[in-house]
Amino acid sequence: MSQAGAPRITAFVCNWCTYAGADLAGTSRLQYAPEVRIVKLPCTGRISPLFILKAFEGGADAVLVSGCHPGDCHYTSGNYHARRRWGLLRKLLDLTGIDSRRLQFSWISAAEGQKFADLINDLTAKVREAGPFAGANPARKRLAPAPEEAQGPRRES
Amino acid sequence: MSPTPSLREDAARLLREGRVKLVIGYRAHAGGGQGPAVPEGACRAPLAGGGGRRPAFIEEAHRAGELVFDGACSQNLAAYLKKPEVRARMPLAIVASEAVGRSLVSLAAESQFAQGALLALAFRGERYEGVKEVEELAALAREAAPEPRRDPDIGRRLAELAAWPAQRRAEWWSARFSRCTRCYACRAACPGCYCQRCVTERNVPQWVSTAALGHGNYAWNMIRAFHQAGRCTLCGACASACPQGLPLMLLNTFLAAQAAEQFDVEAGLDPAAKPLIGTWDPEDDNSFFT
Ligand code: SF4
Ligand code: SF4
Ligand code: FES
């Protein structure tokens, strides 16, 4: 969380649908929580798992990933490829401590400005409720290794 | 009867007839000694105590007598197929336990060697099955493992972790990842980790910090495991290579179970399988999207 206690949300969105939807929310003067930082990519297919890890590493309290509805991808199948990756990645991150309140996915079209504004408000509220991630964030940049006694036994399954 | 005579005969014959240029197998290690420990969750026979086994690279028929095979032969020889000096000696034959066999099938599915470039001297348990093409090897693997094989202890451990709050899971994993020294022995031991340049070594831009600290270790272990999703055959080589004893089989087994559950994918059984990541289906799970 930033100094003011507002959650830091990183949103990875595709250029053709969700970014246009966010733009529509703006031009329609819809109010939504200001804590979100939008990163625009050409397509959800371009959103590598590394981007998501990097955002958490940099201290994001939550990450939103959003693009064109299935069937509407500008490049026909980028979002189908992405959906499969995320189906696995989100489970792996959940296992290691980044649960689904912190990593959310949506499909938002260029016409869904209202859906974008609602989603950001909803996500912000959920992340506020979950509390600051900093201490518990397993991906966060820390400068010292965990103390020896916290590292657990050698050889375990 | 010991399988060794027929194994040696087949290896010698393949070399003599010029069908292969190299046979990769196991030999007894003069010094005896302990091989690497087999981690829990590895789908292969536990070490028969004290039997030191080393890889053997045999190019001349008269040396085929050095070959041995028993339960102590636990190293995954398929990892040698990554080496350019080994690839230069194709066609080759490789002594294939069930675990090695599954790795070979999975590599064939990923077009990692040309058809006919590889023969297996296949075993099922300690029974010698003879010289097999990849297709036959896959049939053997399907026969041997009709049900997905997961270590029940690992399953229990995963269920235990799943019941914890996320914060406790994060702490538990962070403590373990912080032991990682980034030696990449896990990567070197895995037949599936064959990229010429690993993402962790790319530095423009640097996505995965190479510092052996919390954030770099988290990113590295996530990416290593994720890149194996739907590909890992649960051979256990990575975990037994890890000098720091990280519970890598928990990550691998978890993802293998997810691949099976979400996408009905079981690695190493079908040489014509499509890659899990890299293909898609319009009917894939959409329930986690708002
Ligand atoms: S990641 Fe899977 S296939 Fe690779 S060494 Fe580990 S257990 Fe074997
Ligand atoms: S073998 Fe173990 S210590 Fe070495 S890089 Fe892999 S996980 Fe880290
Ligand atoms: S262009 Fe929007 S998801 Fe591909």
Side-chain angles (χ1 to χ4, degrees), chain A residues 84 94 96 107 150-151 156, chain B residues 169 175-176 179 218 284 286:
Chain A
R84 194 165 258 212
D94 179 73
T96 53
W107 304 128
Q151 294 181 10
E156 63 191 335
Chain B
R169 286 201 297 278
R176 274 139 193 91
R179 286 207 305 258
Y218 184 78
D284 284 343
N286 198 55

Side-chain angles (χ1 to χ4, degrees), chain B:
Chain B
M1 196 194 80
S2 155
T4 322
S6 29
L7 167 68
R8 291 172 178 166
E9 272 162 36
D10 280 350
R13 185 170 45 78
L14 291 175
L15 286 165
R16 210 180 314 109
E17 291 172 359
R19 283 180 69 196
V20 302
K21 294 188 205 156
L22 173 69
V23 174
I24 308 178
Y26 304 89
R27 62 183 170 80
H29 178 55
Q34 211 84 37
V38 177
E40 284 175 66
C43 290
R44 57 198 161 114
L47 279 182
R53 295 290 176 256
R54 293 293 182 272
F57 300 87
I58 294 177
E59 293 179 280
E60 294 122 1
H62 68 84
R63 279 186 54 210
E66 288 173 30
L67 290 171
V68 297
F69 189 88
D70 57 25
C73 298
S74 61
Q75 186 186 346
N76 192 336
L77 298 178
Y80 287 112
L81 296 174
K82 300 193 282 187
K83 299 211 170 281
E85 59 272 34
V86 169
R87 302 186 66 85
R89 285 167 174 76
M90 281 178 172
L92 55 79
I94 186 163
V95 174
S97 63
E98 288 170 45
V100 173
R102 283 185 68 155
S103 292
L104 296 177
V105 172
S106 148
L107 290 173
E110 296 177 0
S111 310
Q112 288 306 299
F113 44 83
Q115 220 182 354
L118 194 131
L119 290 171
L121 299 161
F123 282 84
R124 181 165 173 185
E126 290 192 29
R127 193 175 80 216
Y128 182 55
E129 299 276 349
V131 181
K132 301 285 176 202
E133 304 271 355
V134 170
E135 280 291 346
E136 300 167 295
L137 204 54
L140 264 184
R142 284 192 295 266
E143 214 177 283
E147 295 297 321
R149 286 192 289 180
R150 314 261 187 270
D151 183 301
D153 287 334
I154 298 251
R156 269 191 290 279
R157 201 71 242 256
L158 286 171
E160 204 181 308
L161 286 174
W164 291 354
Q167 175 156 356
R168 187 163 169 210
R169 286 201 297 278
E171 282 160 8
W172 192 87
W173 280 107
S174 293
R176 274 139 193 91
F177 291 147
S178 82
R179 286 207 305 258
C180 172
T181 58
R182 307 300 286 285
C183 67
Y184 305 126
C186 48
R187 181 182 72 186
C190 177
C193 265
Y194 51 66
C195 291
Q196 300 263 323
R197 189 148 186 233
C198 178
V199 66
T200 189
E201 268 137 23
R202 273 191 239 145
N203 54 3
V204 190
Q206 186 177 59
W207 286 108
V208 182
S209 163
T210 49
L213 292 170
H215 60 293
N217 289 357
Y218 184 78
W220 160 245
N221 278 282
M222 289 301 96
I223 285 297
R224 187 208 61 78
F226 181 71
H227 284 179
Q228 294 297 333
R231 308 174 57 232
C232 170
T233 57
L234 300 179
C235 73
C238 52
S240 67
C242 177
Q244 294 294 78
L246 265 70
L248 300 178
M249 289 312 285
L250 280 183
L251 300 174
N252 298 334
T253 308
F254 177 81
L255 278 174
Q258 285 294 328
E261 191 184 306
Q262 294 188 42
F263 304 107
D264 200 20
V265 163
E266 201 65 47
L269 299 181
D270 177 9
K274 297 251 185 324
L276 170 60
I277 292 184
T279 52
W280 50 273
D281 187 319
E283 300 308 315
D284 284 343
D285 180 22
N286 198 55
S287 63
F288 60 96
F289 288 84
T290 27

